[in-house]
Coordinates of all heavy atoms in Angstrom, one line a residue:
M4 N 0.8 -1.2 0.0 CA 0.0 0.0 0.0 C 0.9 1.2 0.0 O 1.9 1.3 0.7 CB -0.9 0.0 1.2 CG -1.8 1.2 1.3 SD -3.0 1.2 2.6 CE -1.9 1.4 4.0
R5 N 0.5 2.2 -0.8 CA 1.3 3.4 -0.9 C 0.5 4.6 -0.2 O -0.7 4.6 -0.2 CB 1.4 3.7 -2.4 CG 2.3 4.9 -2.7 CD 2.5 4.9 -4.2 NE 3.4 6.1 -4.5 CZ 3.7 6.5 -5.7 NH1 3.2 5.8 -6.8 NH2 4.4 7.5 -5.9
T6 N 1.2 5.6 0.3 CA 0.6 6.7 0.9 C 1.1 8.0 0.2 O 2.3 8.1 0.0 CB 0.9 6.8 2.4 OG1 0.5 5.6 3.0 CG2 0.3 8.0 3.0
C7 N 0.2 8.9 -0.2 CA 0.6 10.1 -0.9 C -0.2 11.3 -0.3 O -1.2 11.1 0.4 CB 0.2 10.0 -2.4 SG 1.1 8.8 -3.3
M8 N 0.3 12.5 -0.7 CA -0.4 13.7 -0.3 C -0.8 14.5 -1.6 O 0.1 14.7 -2.4 CB 0.4 14.6 0.6 CG -0.3 15.7 1.2 SD 0.6 16.6 2.5 CE 1.1 15.4 3.6
F9 N -2.0 14.9 -1.7 CA -2.5 15.7 -2.8 C -2.9 17.1 -2.4 O -3.5 17.2 -1.3 CB -3.7 15.0 -3.5 CG -3.5 13.8 -4.3 CD1 -4.5 13.1 -4.8 CD2 -2.2 13.3 -4.5 CE1 -4.4 12.0 -5.6 CE2 -2.0 12.2 -5.3 CZ -3.1 11.5 -5.8
P10 N -2.5 18.1 -3.1 CA -2.9 19.4 -2.7 C -4.3 19.7 -3.2 O -4.8 19.1 -4.2 CB -1.9 20.3 -3.5 CG -1.6 19.5 -4.7 CD -1.6 18.1 -4.3
C11 N -5.0 20.6 -2.5 CA -6.3 21.1 -3.0 C -6.4 22.6 -2.7 O -6.2 23.0 -1.5 CB -7.4 20.3 -2.2 SG -9.1 20.9 -2.7
N12 N -6.7 23.3 -3.7 CA -6.9 24.8 -3.5 C -8.4 25.1 -3.4 O -9.1 25.0 -4.3 CB -6.3 25.5 -4.8 CG -6.3 27.0 -4.6 OD1 -7.1 27.6 -3.8 ND2 -5.4 27.6 -5.4
L13 N -8.8 25.4 -2.1 CA -10.2 25.6 -1.9 C -10.7 26.9 -2.6 O -12.0 27.0 -2.7 CB -10.4 25.8 -0.3 CG -10.1 24.5 0.5 CD1 -10.2 24.8 2.0 CD2 -10.9 23.3 0.0
S14 N -9.9 27.8 -3.0 CA -10.4 28.9 -3.8 C -10.7 28.6 -5.2 O -11.3 29.4 -5.9 CB -9.4 30.1 -3.7 OG -8.2 29.8 -4.4
K15 N -10.4 27.3 -5.6 CA -10.7 26.9 -7.0 C -11.7 25.8 -7.0 O -12.4 25.6 -8.0 CB -9.4 26.4 -7.7 CG -8.4 27.6 -8.0 CD -7.2 27.1 -8.7 CE -6.3 28.2 -9.1 NZ -5.1 27.7 -9.9
Y16 N -11.7 24.9 -6.0 CA -12.5 23.7 -6.0 C -13.1 23.4 -4.6 O -12.3 23.4 -3.7 CB -11.7 22.5 -6.5 CG -12.6 21.3 -6.7 CD1 -13.4 21.1 -7.8 CD2 -12.5 20.3 -5.8 CE1 -14.2 20.0 -7.9 CE2 -13.2 19.1 -5.9 CZ -14.1 19.0 -7.0 OH -14.8 17.8 -7.1
D17 N -14.4 23.2 -4.5 CA -15.0 22.9 -3.3 C -15.0 21.4 -3.0 O -16.0 20.7 -3.3 CB -16.5 23.5 -3.3 CG -17.2 23.1 -2.0 OD1 -16.6 22.7 -1.0 OD2 -18.5 23.3 -2.0
I18 N -13.9 20.9 -2.6 CA -13.8 19.4 -2.4 C -14.7 18.9 -1.4 O -15.2 17.8 -1.5 CB -12.3 19.1 -2.1 CG1 -12.1 17.6 -2.3 CG2 -11.9 19.5 -0.7 CD1 -10.6 17.1 -2.4
L19 N -14.9 19.6 -0.3 CA -15.9 19.2 0.7 C -17.3 19.0 0.2 O -18.0 18.1 0.5 CB -15.8 20.1 2.0 CG -16.7 19.7 3.1 CD1 -16.3 18.3 3.6 CD2 -16.6 20.6 4.3
G20 N -17.7 20.0 -0.6 CA -19.0 20.0 -1.2 C -19.2 18.7 -2.1 O -20.2 18.1 -2.1
S21 N -18.1 18.4 -2.9 CA -18.2 17.3 -3.7 C -18.3 16.0 -2.9 O -19.0 15.1 -3.2 CB -17.0 17.2 -4.6 OG -17.0 16.1 -5.5
F22 N -17.5 15.9 -1.8 CA -17.5 14.7 -1.0 C -18.9 14.6 -0.3 O -19.5 13.5 -0.3 CB -16.5 14.8 0.1 CG -15.2 14.2 -0.2 CD1 -14.0 15.0 -0.2 CD2 -15.0 12.9 -0.6 CE1 -12.8 14.4 -0.5 CE2 -13.8 12.3 -1.0 CZ -12.7 13.1 -0.9
L23 N -19.5 15.7 0.1 CA -20.8 15.6 0.8 C -21.9 15.2 -0.2 O -22.8 14.5 0.2 CB -21.1 17.0 1.4 CG -20.3 17.3 2.7 CD1 -20.6 18.7 3.1 CD2 -20.5 16.3 3.8
K24 N -21.8 15.7 -1.4 CA -22.9 15.3 -2.4 C -22.7 13.9 -3.0 O -23.7 13.2 -3.1 CB -22.9 16.4 -3.5 CG -24.0 16.0 -4.5 CD -24.1 17.0 -5.7 CE -25.2 16.6 -6.6 NZ -25.2 17.5 -7.8
N25 N -21.5 13.6 -3.3 CA -21.3 12.4 -4.1 C -20.7 11.2 -3.3 O -20.8 10.1 -3.7 CB -20.3 12.6 -5.2 CG -20.8 13.7 -6.2 OD1 -21.9 13.6 -6.6 ND2 -20.0 14.7 -6.4
G26 N -20.1 11.6 -2.1 CA -19.5 10.5 -1.3 C -18.1 10.2 -1.8 O -17.4 9.3 -1.2
F27 N -17.6 10.8 -2.8 CA -16.3 10.6 -3.4 C -15.8 11.8 -4.2 O -16.6 12.7 -4.5 CB -16.2 9.3 -4.2 CG -17.1 9.4 -5.4 CD1 -16.7 9.9 -6.6 CD2 -18.4 8.9 -5.4 CE1 -17.5 10.0 -7.7 CE2 -19.3 9.0 -6.5 CZ -18.8 9.5 -7.7
V28 N -14.6 11.8 -4.6 CA -14.0 12.8 -5.5 C -13.2 12.1 -6.6 O -12.4 11.2 -6.2 CB -13.1 13.8 -4.8 CG1 -12.3 14.7 -5.7 CG2 -14.0 14.7 -3.9
D29 N -13.3 12.5 -7.8 CA -12.4 12.0 -8.9 C -11.3 13.0 -9.0 O -11.5 14.1 -9.4 CB -13.2 11.8 -10.2 CG -14.2 10.7 -10.1 OD1 -14.1 9.8 -9.2 OD2 -15.1 10.6 -10.9
Y30 N -10.0 12.5 -8.8 CA -8.9 13.4 -8.7 C -7.9 13.0 -9.8 O -7.4 11.9 -9.8 CB -8.2 13.3 -7.3 CG -7.3 14.4 -7.0 CD1 -7.7 15.4 -6.1 CD2 -6.0 14.5 -7.5 CE1 -6.8 16.4 -5.7 CE2 -5.2 15.5 -7.2 CZ -5.6 16.5 -6.3 OH -4.7 17.5 -5.9
G31 N -7.5 14.0 -10.7 CA -6.5 13.7 -11.7 C -5.1 13.6 -11.2 O -4.8 14.4 -10.3
T32 N -4.4 12.6 -11.6 CA -3.0 12.5 -11.1 C -2.1 11.8 -12.2 O -2.6 11.1 -13.1 CB -3.0 11.6 -9.8 OG1 -1.7 11.5 -9.3 CG2 -3.6 10.2 -10.1
K33 N -0.8 12.0 -12.0 CA 0.1 11.3 -12.8 C 0.8 10.2 -12.1 O 1.6 9.4 -12.6 CB 1.2 12.3 -13.3 CG 2.0 12.9 -12.2 CD 3.0 13.9 -12.8 CE 3.7 14.6 -11.6 NZ 4.5 15.7 -11.9
F34 N 0.5 10.0 -10.8 CA 1.1 9.0 -10.0 C 0.6 7.6 -10.3 O -0.6 7.5 -10.7 CB 0.9 9.3 -8.5 CG 1.6 10.5 -7.9 CD1 0.9 11.6 -7.5 CD2 3.0 10.5 -7.9 CE1 1.5 12.7 -7.0 CE2 3.6 11.6 -7.4 CZ 2.9 12.7 -6.9
D35 N 1.4 6.6 -10.1 CA 1.0 5.2 -10.4 C 0.5 4.7 -9.1 O 1.2 4.1 -8.3 CB 2.2 4.4 -10.8 CG 1.9 3.0 -11.3 OD1 0.7 2.8 -11.6 OD2 2.7 2.1 -11.2
L36 N -0.8 4.9 -8.9 CA -1.5 4.5 -7.7 C -2.3 3.2 -7.9 O -2.6 2.9 -9.0 CB -2.4 5.6 -7.2 CG -1.7 6.9 -6.8 CD1 -2.7 8.0 -6.5 CD2 -0.8 6.7 -5.6
S37 N -2.7 2.5 -6.8 CA -3.5 1.3 -6.9 C -4.7 1.4 -6.0 O -4.7 2.2 -5.0 CB -2.6 0.1 -6.4 OG -1.5 -0.1 -7.2
V38 N -5.7 0.6 -6.2 CA -6.8 0.6 -5.4 C -6.4 0.2 -4.0 O -5.5 -0.7 -3.8 CB -7.9 -0.4 -5.9 CG1 -9.0 -0.7 -4.9 CG2 -8.4 0.0 -7.2
G39 N -6.8 0.9 -3.0 CA -6.4 0.7 -1.6 C -5.4 1.6 -1.1 O -5.2 1.7 0.2
D40 N -4.7 2.3 -1.9 CA -3.7 3.3 -1.5 C -4.3 4.4 -0.7 O -5.5 4.7 -0.9 CB -2.9 3.9 -2.7 CG -2.0 2.9 -3.4 OD1 -1.7 1.8 -2.8 OD2 -1.5 3.3 -4.4
E41 N -3.6 5.0 0.3 CA -4.1 6.1 1.1 C -3.6 7.4 0.6 O -2.4 7.5 0.2 CB -3.7 5.9 2.6 CG -4.4 4.7 3.2 CD -4.1 4.6 4.7 OE1 -3.1 5.3 5.2 OE2 -4.7 3.8 5.3
I42 N -4.5 8.4 0.6 CA -4.2 9.7 0.1 C -4.6 10.7 1.1 O -5.8 10.6 1.6 CB -5.0 10.0 -1.2 CG1 -4.7 8.9 -2.3 CG2 -4.6 11.4 -1.8 CD1 -3.3 8.8 -2.8
Y43 N -3.7 11.6 1.5 CA -4.1 12.7 2.3 C -4.3 14.0 1.5 O -3.5 14.3 0.6 CB -2.9 13.0 3.3 CG -2.8 11.9 4.4 CD1 -1.9 10.8 4.1 CD2 -3.5 12.0 5.6 CE1 -1.8 9.8 5.1 CE2 -3.4 10.9 6.5 CZ -2.5 9.9 6.2 OH -2.4 8.9 7.2
I44 N -5.4 14.7 1.7 CA -5.7 15.9 1.0 C -5.2 17.1 1.8 O -5.6 17.3 3.0 CB -7.2 16.1 0.7 CG1 -7.7 14.9 0.0 CG2 -7.5 17.4 -0.1 CD1 -7.2 14.7 -1.4
Y45 N -4.3 17.9 1.3 CA -3.7 19.0 2.0 C -4.3 20.3 1.4 O -4.4 20.5 0.2 CB -2.2 19.1 1.8 CG -1.5 20.3 2.3 CD1 -1.2 20.4 3.7 CD2 -1.3 21.4 1.5 CE1 -0.7 21.6 4.2 CE2 -0.7 22.6 2.0 CZ -0.4 22.6 3.4 OH 0.2 23.8 3.9
T46 N -4.8 21.2 2.2 CA -5.3 22.5 1.8 C -4.4 23.6 2.2 O -3.8 23.5 3.3 CB -6.7 22.7 2.3 OG1 -6.7 22.7 3.8 CG2 -7.7 21.7 1.9
G47 N -4.2 24.5 1.3 CA -3.4 25.7 1.6 C -4.2 26.7 2.4 O -5.1 26.4 3.2
A48 N -3.8 28.0 2.3 CA -4.4 29.1 3.0 C -5.9 29.1 2.8 O -6.4 28.7 1.7 CB -3.9 30.4 2.5
P49 N -6.7 29.4 3.8 CA -6.3 29.9 5.1 C -6.0 28.8 6.1 O -5.6 29.1 7.2 CB -7.6 30.7 5.5 CG -8.7 30.0 4.9 CD -8.2 29.4 3.6
Y50 N -6.2 27.5 5.8 CA -6.1 26.5 6.8 C -4.7 25.9 6.9 O -4.2 25.6 7.9 CB -7.1 25.3 6.5 CG -8.5 25.8 6.4 CD1 -9.2 25.9 5.2 CD2 -9.2 26.2 7.6 CE1 -10.5 26.3 5.2 CE2 -10.5 26.7 7.5 CZ -11.1 26.7 6.3 OH -12.4 27.2 6.3
S51 N -4.0 25.7 5.7 CA -2.7 25.1 5.7 C -2.6 23.9 6.5 O -1.8 23.8 7.5 CB -1.6 26.1 6.1 OG -1.7 27.2 5.2
A52 N -3.4 22.9 6.2 CA -3.4 21.7 7.0 C -3.9 20.5 6.2 O -4.4 20.6 5.1 CB -4.4 21.9 8.2
I53 N -3.6 19.3 6.7 CA -4.1 18.1 6.1 C -5.6 18.1 6.4 O -6.1 18.1 7.6 CB -3.4 16.8 6.7 CG1 -2.0 16.8 6.2 CG2 -4.2 15.6 6.2 CD1 -1.1 15.7 6.8
F54 N -6.4 18.0 5.4 CA -7.9 18.2 5.5 C -8.6 16.9 5.6 O -9.6 16.8 6.3 CB -8.3 19.0 4.2 CG -9.7 19.5 4.2 CD1 -10.2 20.4 5.2 CD2 -10.5 19.1 3.2 CE1 -11.5 20.8 5.1 CE2 -11.8 19.6 3.1 CZ -12.3 20.4 4.1
L55 N -8.2 15.9 4.8 CA -8.9 14.7 4.7 C -7.9 13.5 4.5 O -6.9 13.7 3.9 CB -9.9 14.6 3.5 CG -11.1 15.5 3.6 CD1 -11.7 15.6 2.2 CD2 -12.1 14.9 4.5
K56 N -8.3 12.3 5.0 CA -7.6 11.1 4.7 C -8.6 10.3 3.8 O -9.7 10.1 4.2 CB -7.3 10.4 6.0 CG -6.5 9.1 5.8 CD -6.2 8.4 7.1 CE -5.5 7.1 6.9 NZ -5.2 6.4 8.2
C57 N -8.1 9.8 2.7 CA -8.9 9.1 1.7 C -8.3 7.8 1.3 O -7.1 7.6 1.5 CB -9.1 9.9 0.5 SG -9.8 11.5 0.8
R58 N -9.0 6.9 0.7 CA -8.5 5.7 0.1 C -8.9 5.7 -1.4 O -10.0 6.1 -1.8 CB -9.1 4.5 0.8 CG -8.6 3.2 0.3 CD -8.8 2.0 1.2 NE -7.8 2.2 2.3 CZ -8.1 2.1 3.6 NH1 -9.3 1.8 4.0 NH2 -7.2 2.2 4.6
V59 N -8.0 5.1 -2.2 CA -8.3 5.0 -3.7 C -9.3 3.8 -3.8 O -9.0 2.7 -3.4 CB -7.0 4.7 -4.5 CG1 -7.4 4.5 -5.9 CG2 -6.1 5.9 -4.3
R60 N -10.5 4.1 -4.4 CA -11.5 3.1 -4.6 C -11.4 2.6 -6.0 O -11.7 1.4 -6.3 CB -12.9 3.6 -4.4 CG -13.9 2.6 -4.7 CD -15.3 3.1 -4.5 NE -15.6 3.0 -3.0 CZ -16.7 3.5 -2.5 NH1 -17.6 4.2 -3.2 NH2 -16.9 3.4 -1.2
A61 N -11.0 3.4 -7.0 CA -10.9 3.0 -8.4 C -9.9 3.8 -9.2 O -9.7 5.0 -8.8 CB -12.3 3.1 -9.1
I62 N -9.4 3.2 -10.3 CA -8.6 4.0 -11.2 C -9.4 4.2 -12.4 O -10.0 3.2 -13.0 CB -7.3 3.1 -11.6 CG1 -6.6 2.6 -10.3 CG2 -6.4 3.9 -12.5 CD1 -6.0 3.7 -9.4
L63 N -9.5 5.4 -12.9 CA -10.4 5.8 -14.0 C -9.7 6.5 -15.1 O -8.7 7.1 -15.0 CB -11.5 6.7 -13.4 CG -12.2 6.3 -12.2 CD1 -13.0 7.5 -11.6 CD2 -13.1 5.1 -12.5
K64 N -10.4 6.4 -16.3 CA -10.0 7.3 -17.4 C -10.9 8.5 -17.4 O -11.9 8.5 -16.8 CB -10.2 6.5 -18.7 CG -9.2 5.3 -18.9 CD -9.4 4.6 -20.2 CE -8.4 3.5 -20.2 NZ -8.9 2.4 -20.9
S65 N -10.5 9.5 -18.1 CA -11.2 10.8 -18.1 C -12.7 10.6 -18.4 O -13.6 11.2 -17.7 CB -10.6 11.8 -19.1 OG -11.4 13.0 -19.1
Q66 N -13.1 9.8 -19.4 CA -14.5 9.7 -19.7 C -15.3 8.9 -18.7 O -16.5 8.9 -18.8 CB -14.6 9.0 -21.1 CG -14.1 7.6 -21.2 CD -12.6 7.6 -21.6 OE1 -11.9 8.6 -21.4 NE2 -12.1 6.5 -22.2
E67 N -14.6 8.3 -17.7 CA -15.3 7.6 -16.7 C -15.6 8.4 -15.4 O -16.3 7.9 -14.5 CB -14.5 6.3 -16.2 CG -14.3 5.3 -17.4 CD -13.3 4.3 -17.0 OE1 -12.2 4.6 -16.4 OE2 -13.6 3.1 -17.2
T68 N -15.1 9.6 -15.4 CA -15.3 10.5 -14.2 C -16.7 11.2 -14.3 O -17.3 11.3 -15.3 CB -14.2 11.5 -14.1 OG1 -14.3 12.4 -15.3 CG2 -12.8 10.9 -14.1
I69 N -17.1 11.7 -13.1 CA -18.3 12.4 -13.1 C -18.1 13.9 -13.5 O -17.0 14.4 -13.5 CB -18.9 12.4 -11.6 CG1 -18.0 13.0 -10.6 CG2 -19.3 11.0 -11.2 CD1 -18.6 13.3 -9.3
D70 N -19.2 14.6 -13.8 CA -19.1 16.0 -14.1 C -19.3 16.7 -12.8 O -20.5 16.8 -12.3 CB -20.2 16.4 -15.1 CG -20.2 17.9 -15.3 OD1 -19.3 18.6 -14.9 OD2 -21.2 18.4 -16.0
D71 N -18.2 17.2 -12.2 CA -18.3 17.9 -10.9 C -18.0 19.4 -11.0 O -17.6 20.0 -10.1 CB -17.4 17.2 -9.9 CG -16.0 17.2 -10.3 OD1 -15.6 17.6 -11.4 OD2 -15.1 16.8 -9.5
S72 N -18.3 19.9 -12.2 CA -18.0 21.3 -12.5 C -18.8 22.2 -11.6 O -18.3 23.4 -11.4 CB -18.2 21.6 -14.0 OG -19.6 21.4 -14.3
E73 N -19.8 21.8 -11.0 CA -20.6 22.6 -10.1 C -19.8 23.0 -8.8 O -20.1 24.0 -8.1 CB -21.9 22.0 -9.7 CG -21.7 20.7 -8.8 CD -23.0 20.0 -8.5 OE1 -23.8 20.5 -7.6 OE2 -23.2 19.0 -9.1
F74 N -18.7 22.3 -8.6 CA -17.9 22.6 -7.4 C -16.6 23.4 -7.7 O -15.9 23.7 -6.9 CB -17.4 21.2 -6.8 CG -18.6 20.4 -6.3 CD1 -19.0 19.3 -7.0 CD2 -19.4 20.8 -5.2 CE1 -20.1 18.6 -6.6 CE2 -20.5 20.1 -4.8 CZ -20.9 19.0 -5.5
N75 N -16.5 23.8 -9.0 CA -15.5 24.8 -9.4 C -15.8 26.1 -8.8 O -16.9 26.7 -9.2 CB -15.3 24.8 -10.9 CG -14.7 23.6 -11.5 OD1 -14.2 22.7 -10.8 ND2 -14.8 23.4 -12.8
V76 N -15.0 26.7 -7.9 CA -15.3 27.9 -7.3 C -14.9 29.1 -8.2 O -15.6 30.1 -8.3 CB -14.5 28.0 -5.9 CG1 -14.7 29.4 -5.3 CG2 -15.0 26.9 -5.0
S77 N -13.8 29.0 -8.9 CA -13.4 30.1 -9.8 C -13.8 29.7 -11.2 O -14.2 28.6 -11.5 CB -11.9 30.3 -9.7 OG -11.2 29.1 -10.2
D78 N -13.5 30.7 -12.1 CA -13.8 30.5 -13.5 C -12.8 29.6 -14.2 O -13.0 29.3 -15.4 CB -13.9 31.8 -14.2 CG -15.2 32.6 -13.8 OD1 -16.1 32.0 -13.3 OD2 -15.2 33.8 -13.9
N79 N -11.7 29.3 -13.5 CA -10.7 28.5 -14.1 C -11.2 27.1 -14.4 O -11.7 26.4 -13.5 CB -9.4 28.4 -13.2 CG -8.8 29.8 -13.0 OD1 -8.9 30.7 -13.9 ND2 -8.1 30.0 -11.9
S80 N -11.0 26.6 -15.6 CA -11.3 25.2 -15.8 C -10.0 24.3 -15.5 O -8.9 24.8 -15.7 CB -11.8 24.9 -17.2 OG -10.8 25.3 -18.2
F81 N -10.2 23.1 -15.1 CA -9.1 22.3 -14.8 C -8.6 21.5 -16.1 O -9.5 21.1 -16.9 CB -9.5 21.3 -13.7 CG -9.7 21.9 -12.4 CD1 -10.9 22.3 -12.0 CD2 -8.6 22.1 -11.6 CE1 -11.1 22.9 -10.8 CE2 -8.8 22.7 -10.3 CZ -10.0 23.2 -9.9
K82 N -7.3 21.4 -16.2 CA -6.8 20.7 -17.4 C -7.1 19.2 -17.2 O -6.9 18.6 -16.2 CB -5.3 20.9 -17.5 CG -4.7 20.4 -18.7 CD -3.3 21.0 -18.9 CE -2.3 20.3 -18.0 NZ -0.9 20.6 -18.3
E83 N -7.5 18.6 -18.3 CA -7.9 17.2 -18.3 C -6.6 16.3 -18.1 O -5.6 16.6 -18.7 CB -8.6 16.8 -19.6 CG -9.1 15.4 -19.6 CD -9.9 15.1 -20.8 OE1 -10.9 15.8 -21.1 OE2 -9.6 14.1 -21.5
K84 N -6.7 15.3 -17.3 CA -5.6 14.4 -17.0 C -5.8 13.1 -17.7 O -7.0 12.8 -18.1 CB -5.4 14.2 -15.5 CG -5.4 15.4 -14.7 CD -4.0 15.9 -14.6 CE -4.0 17.1 -13.6 NZ -2.9 17.7 -13.2
S85 N -4.8 12.3 -17.9 CA -4.9 11.0 -18.6 C -5.4 9.9 -17.6 O -6.0 8.9 -18.0 CB -3.6 10.6 -19.2 OG -2.6 10.4 -18.2
K86 N -5.2 10.2 -16.3 CA -5.6 9.2 -15.3 C -6.3 9.9 -14.1 O -5.8 10.9 -13.7 CB -4.4 8.4 -14.9 CG -4.7 7.3 -13.8 CD -3.6 6.4 -13.5 CE -2.3 7.1 -13.4 NZ -1.2 6.2 -12.9
Y87 N -7.3 9.2 -13.6 CA -8.0 9.8 -12.4 C -8.1 8.6 -11.3 O -8.1 7.5 -11.7 CB -9.4 10.3 -12.7 CG -9.4 11.5 -13.5 CD1 -9.1 11.5 -14.9 CD2 -9.6 12.8 -12.9 CE1 -9.1 12.7 -15.6 CE2 -9.6 13.9 -13.6 CZ -9.3 13.9 -15.0 OH -9.3 15.1 -15.7
V88 N -8.1 9.0 -10.1 CA -8.4 8.1 -9.0 C -9.7 8.5 -8.3 O -9.9 9.7 -8.1 CB -7.2 8.0 -8.0 CG1 -6.1 7.3 -8.7 CG2 -6.8 9.3 -7.5
R89 N -10.5 7.6 -8.0 CA -11.7 7.9 -7.2 C -11.4 7.7 -5.7 O -11.0 6.7 -5.3 CB -12.9 7.0 -7.6 CG -14.1 7.3 -6.8 CD -15.4 6.8 -7.5 NE -15.6 7.6 -8.7 CZ -16.5 7.3 -9.7 NH1 -17.2 6.2 -9.6 NH2 -16.6 8.1 -10.7
L90 N -11.5 8.9 -5.0 CA -11.1 8.9 -3.6 C -12.4 8.9 -2.7 O -13.3 9.6 -3.0 CB -10.3 10.2 -3.3 CG -9.0 10.3 -4.1 CD1 -8.4 11.7 -3.8 CD2 -8.1 9.2 -3.8
V91 N -12.3 8.1 -1.7 CA -13.4 8.0 -0.7 C -12.8 8.4 0.7 O -11.7 7.9 1.0 CB -14.2 6.7 -0.7 CG1 -14.9 6.4 -2.0 CG2 -13.2 5.5 -0.4
P92 N -13.5 9.1 1.5 CA -13.0 9.5 2.8 C -13.0 8.2 3.7 O -13.9 7.4 3.6 CB -13.9 10.6 3.3 CG -15.2 10.4 2.5 CD -14.8 9.8 1.2
I93 N -11.9 8.2 4.6 CA -11.9 7.1 5.5 C -11.7 7.7 6.9 O -11.3 8.8 7.1 CB -10.8 6.0 5.2 CG1 -9.4 6.7 5.1 CG2 -11.2 5.3 4.0 CD1 -8.3 5.7 4.9

């Protein structure tokens, strides 16, 4: 099992809102992760803290992810990644 830390900018994406509505988040990554790996979500200012501990539930391609654009806080769109992981809080 692997453990990683992913950053989350709360001024760009409402990760908590997505977790509360969907029960999971699809997160784009270049890391070679496996189902069962643990991921810590780190948020910057104003909290600058580890926000959530998650587990990888699935490895996905872009077309398999959900449309979570309603949680984009800013007008910036996110660049599509080649691989996504579905994270569930633990």
Side-chain angles (χ1 to χ4, degrees):
M4 181 176 68
R5 188 173 178 186
T6 302
C7 296
M8 189 174 305
F9 287 175
C11 180
N12 187 336
L13 296 176
S14 66
K15 292 184 178 183
Y16 184 77
D17 178 14
I18 194 167
L19 183 58
S21 182
F22 272 121
L23 290 173
K24 179 178 180 186
N25 302 309
F27 62 87
V28 167
D29 292 341
Y30 197 105
T32 183
K33 61 183 178 190
F34 292 114
D35 186 24
L36 298 171
S37 300
V38 172
D40 288 350
E41 289 184 351
I42 308 297
Y43 291 91
I44 305 291
Y45 174 83
T46 60
Y50 304 107
S51 298
I53 294 175
F54 187 62
L55 288 165
K56 180 179 179 182
C57 303
R58 182 161 287 134
V59 176
R60 177 180 281 171
I62 309 296
L63 308 167
K64 295 180 178 148
S65 177
Q66 62 271 22
E67 298 172 312
T68 63
I69 61 167
D70 177 10
D71 59 354
S72 58
E73 68 184 284
F74 300 105
N75 291 347
V76 176
S77 66
D78 291 336
N79 297 334
S80 60
F81 291 93
K82 189 166 74 169
E83 188 173 305
K84 308 276 184 173
S85 60
K86 180 174 40 173
Y87 289 78
V88 290
R89 180 156 291 167
L90 302 176
V91 293
I93 54 174

